[in-house]
Amino acid sequence: MAMTTSQVRVRLEGGPNGFPDDFRARLVNSLEPKIKVQYGCGYEHFERTDESLTAVDGDVVIYRWTAQTRIAE
């Protein structure tokens, strides 16, 4: 995952059973209050927390799962 200087690393916590680990570590362009990830037949919704993890190459901001919605047909 190549990171530009304007991107921020985030970690998505929680969500439905089977939500893949490779979906959880993400790069985002800005720290929005909410992130929506398409998964299966819908979207998983995550909200920013005040938590972060300290890694060797910088902090990782934590987002927690809040809801699931279906894609309208």
Side-chain angles (χ1 to χ4, degrees):
M1 205 176 344
M3 187 166 107
T4 66
T5 56
S6 63
Q7 291 181 315
V8 179
R9 293 184 318 147
V10 302
R11 171 90 182 154
L12 306 179
E13 297 286 337
N17 289 334
F19 190 72
D21 282 339
D22 58 337
F23 279 39
R24 295 184 182 283
R26 307 181 81 74
L27 292 175
V28 296
N29 291 326
S30 65
L31 290 176
E32 299 295 329
K34 298 180 182 183
I35 293 176
K36 179 172 74 170
V37 178
Q38 186 173 352
Y39 174 67
C41 296
Y43 294 100
E44 304 302 329
H45 299 263
F46 297 84
E47 289 187 9
R48 185 177 172 194
T49 69
D50 292 333
E51 302 171 60
S52 65
L53 301 171
T54 301
V56 174
D57 53 351
D59 288 346
V60 179
V61 178
I62 303 296
Y63 281 72
R64 287 225 190 279
W65 182 82
T66 56
Q68 179 182 70
T69 55
R70 296 285 176 211
I71 296 173
E73 292 185 38

